[in-house]
Amino acid sequence: MTHPRPSAVVGTLAVIAALTVAITLPLGLGWLSYRHASEILASRVAVAADHLGVYAGDYTAWRQHPASIAAVLMPQGGAPNVAFRVYDAAGVPVADVGATGNRFTMMQTVPVRAMGETVAFIEARAPLGPLVRQIALVTALGVVLGFLIHFAVRRFPQRMLDRALDELERANFDVRAKNAELETANQQLRRKQEEFREVEVELRTQNYRFDLALTNMSHGLCMFDDQHRLIVCNRTYQLMYRLPDALVRPGTSLRAMLEHRIAHNTAGVGDPQHSLTEMLESVRGHGPRDYARELMDGRIIAISQRTMADGGLVCIHEDITEKRRADAQIAHLARHDLLTDLPNRVLLREETEVALSRTRRHTDGCALLMLDLDRFKAVNEALGHPAGDELLREAARRLRACVRAEDLIARLGSDEFAVLVREGKHPEDAIALAKRIIEAIAEPFALEGRLIMPSVSAGIAVSPTDGVHPDHLLKNADLALRRAKADGGGCFRLFEREMDAKVQTRRALELDLRIAFRNNEFELFFQPLVQLAGGRLSGFEALIRWRHPGRGLVPPGDFITIAEEIGLILPLGEWVLHEACREAASWPDDIKVAVNLSSEQFKSGAALAGAVTEALSASGLPARRLELEITESVLLAESAETLATLHQLRALGLSVSLDDFGTGYSSLSYLRKFPFDKIKIDQSFVRELSTRSDCTAIVRAVADLARTLGMATVAEGVETLDQMHALRELGCVEGQGYLFSRPVPAADVLGLIHDHQTVARAA
């Protein structure tokens, strides 16, 4: 933007000043002179009106004497250039006195009053000539004075004005720059204010969400400052410790809250003062701390304690009473038999390991008795499974009456029991116990109105003579038991390394197995897996059978263990994998195949994963359609190699199932160490589902646990519709058993699939 130079500005100012003086001075003076003359004229006409009024009051015929009127007004009108004209009350001219001698005059009219009435009007005129001359003179003087002002202003130093204007221009530029900066700052301030408003809204929303989460969270939460004064706690925490509203206000001391808890039995068990000191000391520690505390009222609270950066403390409190009880129950069930509440094989093995360890340290001995009820199967077949269960419970009661408190009784499954005799280094001690047990079990037993004469066979192995490892001692005691059974039952036998008949039979079976593998005497049968919810056939489990030339079709239970011990399980297992995958490749794409793996196969490590990969590649079967089943015995060693092999198999894209869960070696730690896709519930629980509530509870617990861990559940041994409906209600996903189909040869699988699909479509 450009500005006019000082010369132009000064010239303009000079012209304005000159015009102002030349115009306003004459106008102002003329106006003042006119007002002054007008006031003088008004004064004169007012005096004349007063005189004429006096005259008119004294002489009523004054209108007829103009000369007299002139005489009355003459002294007033004697001034030059002033003339009067008198009108009567009707406005008719009466007399003229004097003359102005000028055509331009000023005029004033006033009434004449006599005796309180208006009798006439006087009109006075004065010439404007003298006034015009005065104005003309003043105008001339104004013009001269304006010219002088114009000249004087024009002569003002231009350089000083230019410098001043330059300074003003620079100052103006600075002001504009500052204004721009201020505008920018204002815009930034407005943006910041908008951001602050958004942040405030977000904080308000977050606070609302935090309050909502804090109020509705299932855990108790409390937060204290570095002086152990309450900052905040939620409703769950208040209810957990039964705190009144006055003690959950911010600023309440931790000591006051703890003292109230002690007074109302919601503090830790033990001496109250010691408990108070202990709780106060626990919050003064540094670093994270997680622990559980049992309260006076019996509840168990898990506490997770963390120190904040400012020295404060935040704690999460969870009531784990029911969880601990459930865990204890599940842990108990994992190591105890459901039917008799005796220790199971897992606990027996653990305790045997402890006893043998003590034997190695102190040269003490221990003995293991393996027991088997004779002709138990006949009782089941004649009287039913409930009667058989009652017989097992009675046998357990009689066994408890025979042993010492320090000895351990276990049920290993079906009609098998075991007794661990601690500190029994002499065989005579074990023999005496075996005799007492045989006599006690042989006592008659009334069962459903019938008198049962049970008997028991016993096998005895004594450490260290017969073994220093739990598995060896168990195996040798079992060999002695088999000898007692073979000798007619109702007796006991000590383990003898010279049990020729057993060894010869075993050797013959081993030889037959090796010949059978070379002669391809094995074949696969397949049993379907059915989804309980929709009834869809989802897959088949591959089951190996041995078609012996002399014995006929031999089930896997009769030869798999021996195959594992003689090292035949590895090539046999690879054959099963290849054959199962080859058969499944011809099935519909949505049908899976499940293959059982032996614990011996896992000892080969990476070779197992290679065998599975080769079987999938050779058959063209997608890995997602292959499911591998392992038993808990695979995980007993808890070796890193076993877990690595499992993860390697899972990485191929196949699924892994835990078979026969709930029997033998059941342990929840297995579920924690490896994420199985399925858990197969053993048929012993399914068989007694309708008669025993504990079986129902266990199936429900396993199904709930599996669902929580993201695993499916498969119930084995489903034989009736009632069992299927119950299992479905308890949360089991799939079922397997004679209700759906017995195991069928490979050639019948496609027909079975077709029949099942036909039935499903018809339904």
Side-chain angles (χ1 to χ4, degrees):
M1 178 179 178
T2 58
H3 299 282
R5 299 305 302 166
S7 57
V9 175
V10 170
T12 302
L13 291 175
V15 171
I16 292 173
L19 290 176
T20 300
V21 171
I23 294 174
T24 59
L25 185 62
L27 288 177
L29 186 60
W31 170 251
L32 291 175
S33 299
Y34 178 79
R35 285 192 62 186
H36 179 68
S38 178
E39 289 174 356
I40 292 174
L41 181 61
S43 175
R44 288 180 178 176
V45 72
V47 172
D50 290 340
H51 286 288
L52 185 56
V54 173
Y55 174 71
D58 294 337
Y59 185 61
T60 59
W62 59 275
R63 299 177 182 83
Q64 289 79 25
H65 300 84
S68 299
I69 294 172
V72 172
L73 299 177
M74 185 57 69
Q76 301 298 327
N81 297 325
V82 177
F84 296 96
R85 173 172 289 180
V86 180
Y87 298 89
D88 60 11
V92 178
V94 177
D96 290 313
V97 180
T100 62
N102 198 315
R103 58 185 296 184
F104 299 104
T105 61
M106 66 175 66
M107 182 178 63
Q108 290 283 346
T109 302
V110 296
V112 178
R113 302 179 67 83
M115 303 299 289
E117 294 181 357
T118 300
V119 295
F121 295 93
I122 297 178
E123 181 183 272
R125 293 185 181 86
L128 293 175
L131 182 59
V132 172
R133 286 192 292 273
Q134 288 180 357
I135 293 173
L137 180 61
V138 171
T139 300
L141 291 174
V143 171
V144 172
L145 184 59
F147 176 76
L148 292 175
I149 291 173
H150 179 269
F151 180 76
V153 172
R154 291 281 295 180
R155 299 294 295 174
F156 192 83
Q158 299 295 323
R159 194 171 298 171
M160 293 180 63
L161 288 175
D162 289 342
R163 187 181 299 114
L165 288 174
D166 288 341
E167 292 292 335
L168 288 174
E169 185 173 354
R170 283 194 294 272
N172 188 30
F173 178 78
D174 292 341
V175 169
R176 287 198 299 272
K178 292 296 183 183
N179 287 337
E181 292 177 0
L182 288 174
E183 182 61 27
T184 302
N186 285 334
Q187 292 177 356
Q188 293 176 349
L189 181 60
R190 285 193 292 271
R191 284 197 298 270
K192 289 294 183 183
Q193 289 175 339
E194 186 64 28
E195 292 175 0
F196 287 154
R197 281 194 292 270
E198 292 176 358
V199 170
E200 183 181 5
V201 172
E202 180 65 21
L203 286 176
R204 215 178 289 122
T205 303
Q206 293 293 342
N207 286 337
Y208 171 75
R209 293 172 179 169
F210 174 75
D211 291 339
L212 193 62
L214 196 65
T215 302
N216 292 281
M217 68 185 297
S218 59
H219 293 16
L221 180 141
C222 59
M223 188 180 297
F224 297 90
D225 60 18
D226 57 348
Q227 301 298 317
H228 299 150
R229 292 172 303 204
L230 182 65
I231 298 175
V232 66
C233 73
N234 63 359
R235 181 68 174 170
T236 305
Y237 180 85
Q238 181 183 3
L239 295 176
M240 184 180 294
Y241 293 110
R242 305 186 190 102
L243 298 172
D245 293 340
L247 285 180
V248 294
R249 293 171 183 161
T252 303
S253 69
L254 176 59
R255 174 180 286 274
M257 299 173 72
L258 294 179
E259 289 175 347
H260 180 275
R261 287 173 49 187
I262 291 174
H264 291 79
N265 294 326
T266 58
V269 296
D271 178 65
Q273 188 59 40
H274 175 73
S275 179
L276 175 61
T277 303
E278 181 184 5
M279 286 189 288
L280 289 173
E281 287 297 328
S282 68
V283 301
R284 294 192 179 100
H286 298 284
R289 186 170 180 231
D290 298 294
Y291 58 95
R293 173 165 288 154
E294 183 178 357
L295 304 186
M296 297 177 181
D297 58 7
R299 291 179 296 155
I300 302 175
I301 306 297
I303 302 173
S304 179
Q305 181 176 300
R306 298 293 183 271
T307 302
M308 297 187 293
D310 60 357
L313 190 73
V314 60
C315 298
I316 301 294
H317 294 242
E318 179 187 4
D319 189 340
I320 60 171
T321 307
E322 294 302 324
K323 182 177 180 297
R324 281 288 181 89
R325 290 174 182 168
D327 290 346
Q329 183 180 6
I330 293 175
H332 180 82
L333 293 175
R335 283 175 167 77
H336 288 77
D337 172 56
L338 285 175
L339 182 65
T340 61
D341 200 36
L342 291 174
N344 61 11
R345 188 181 297 271
V346 174
L347 188 53
L348 173 65
R349 188 183 186 283
E350 292 174 354
E351 292 299 324
T352 304
E353 175 64 36
V354 172
L356 291 174
S357 177
R358 186 170 55 251
T359 297
R360 290 190 289 268
R361 291 195 307 270
H362 303 291
T363 67
D364 292 334
C366 67
L368 187 65
L369 280 70
M370 298 289 287
L371 308 171
D372 187 271
L373 294 179
D374 300 325
R375 298 175 298 280
F376 178 74
K377 183 178 179 182
V379 174
N380 269 341
E381 292 176 350
L383 303 179
H385 290 290
D389 292 344
E390 184 58 33
L391 177 59
L392 292 173
R393 284 190 286 267
E394 177 62 23
R397 285 192 290 269
R398 296 183 182 185
L399 286 174
R400 289 190 181 98
C402 293
V403 303
R404 301 172 302 176
E406 60 267 26
D407 296 333
L408 178 74
I409 309 171
R411 184 190 176 206
L412 306 184
S414 186
D415 57 351
E416 292 186 346
F417 294 86
V419 178
L420 174 63
V421 182
R422 297 182 176 96
E423 302 178 2
K425 62 181 179 179
H426 301 296
E428 293 78 8
D429 298 333
I431 292 173
L433 176 60
K435 290 179 178 179
R436 291 199 305 271
I437 290 175
I438 292 173
E439 292 175 0
I441 297 297
E443 290 292 329
F445 176 54
L447 188 63
E448 294 189 358
R450 299 178 62 177
L451 191 63
I452 304 298
M453 302 295 292
S455 65
V456 64
S457 300
I460 304 172
V462 180
S463 175
T465 306
D466 300 332
V468 294
H469 189 275
D471 293 336
H472 293 160
L473 203 62
L474 284 164
K475 182 185 70 173
N476 292 338
D478 188 64
L479 288 175
L481 172 62
R482 298 296 169 248
R483 178 62 178 270
K485 297 284 285 187
D487 290 345
C491 61
F492 69 88
R493 291 291 182 265
L494 289 168
F495 171 72
E496 299 175 1
R497 299 188 182 277
E498 295 80 16
M499 292 180 173
D500 296 333
K502 183 67 176 180
V503 173
Q504 290 174 6
T505 303
R506 175 185 172 83
R507 285 177 180 174
L509 188 58
E510 289 178 7
L511 181 60
D512 288 347
L513 273 174
R514 296 183 191 277
I515 296 173
F517 186 74
R518 290 197 301 266
N519 294 341
N520 296 322
E521 295 178 5
F522 297 102
E523 60 183 88
L524 291 184
F525 276 51
F526 295 89
Q527 187 172 28
L529 297 168
V530 178
Q531 292 185 352
L532 297 180
R536 189 179 71 85
L537 193 152
S538 58
F540 287 87
E541 180 180 359
L543 303 171
I544 189 170
R545 297 291 187 268
W546 178 13
R547 196 169 292 279
H548 193 278
R551 301 183 183 184
L553 204 61
V554 181
D558 293 348
F559 62 86
I560 288 296
T561 301
I562 298 177
E564 289 178 341
E565 294 178 1
I566 66 176
L568 190 61
I569 194 66
L570 296 181
L572 188 60
E574 290 187 14
W575 177 84
V576 171
L577 273 171
H578 281 267
E579 191 68 13
C581 291
R582 185 182 65 81
E583 290 290 345
S586 64
W587 303 343
D589 190 58
D590 60 340
I591 303 298
K592 287 187 173 184
V593 62
V595 178
N596 291 279
L597 296 181
S598 166
S599 59
E600 294 297 320
Q601 291 177 269
F602 275 85
K603 294 180 181 179
S604 63
L608 175 59
V612 173
T613 303
E614 183 180 350
L616 291 172
S617 177
S619 64
L621 182 72
R624 61 179 173 78
R625 294 181 56 199
L626 177 60
E627 181 178 302
L628 300 180
E629 295 186 5
I630 67 170
T631 60
E632 295 162 347
S633 60
V634 172
L635 301 172
L636 270 180
E638 300 184 359
S639 65
E641 293 78 6
T642 299
L643 291 176
T645 302
L646 282 171
H647 285 289
Q648 190 175 3
L649 292 172
R650 169 67 74 78
L652 297 177
L654 50 80
S655 54
V656 182
S657 301
L658 183 60
D659 197 9
D660 296 334
F661 185 76
T663 62
Y665 302 102
S666 299
S667 174
L668 294 179
S669 63
Y670 303 152
L671 304 182
R672 178 177 59 85
K673 292 177 181 177
F674 183 77
F676 291 96
D677 298 284
K678 288 183 181 179
I679 297 176
K680 300 191 74 173
I681 301 174
D682 188 71
Q683 60 182 345
S684 60
F685 300 107
V686 177
R687 185 186 306 120
E688 300 174 341
L689 197 62
S690 61
T691 59
R692 294 189 52 180
S693 59
D694 52 359
C695 289
T696 302
I698 290 174
V699 172
R700 179 183 290 110
V702 174
D704 290 344
L705 178 62
R707 183 170 55 254
T708 303
L709 296 176
M711 305 174 186
T713 48
V714 182
E716 297 180 311
V718 183
E719 298 181 354
T720 66
L721 285 174
D722 290 340
Q723 290 174 346
M724 184 189 73
H725 295 321
L727 290 167
R728 184 171 57 200
E729 291 298 323
L730 292 174
C732 291
V733 178
E734 293 179 330
Q736 178 182 359
Y738 287 177
L739 175 65
F740 308 112
S741 172
R742 291 175 176 271
V744 298
D748 297 340
V749 170
L750 289 177
L752 182 61
I753 294 174
H754 179 267
D755 293 344
H756 191 88
Q757 291 176 345
T758 301
V759 172
R761 283 194 296 268

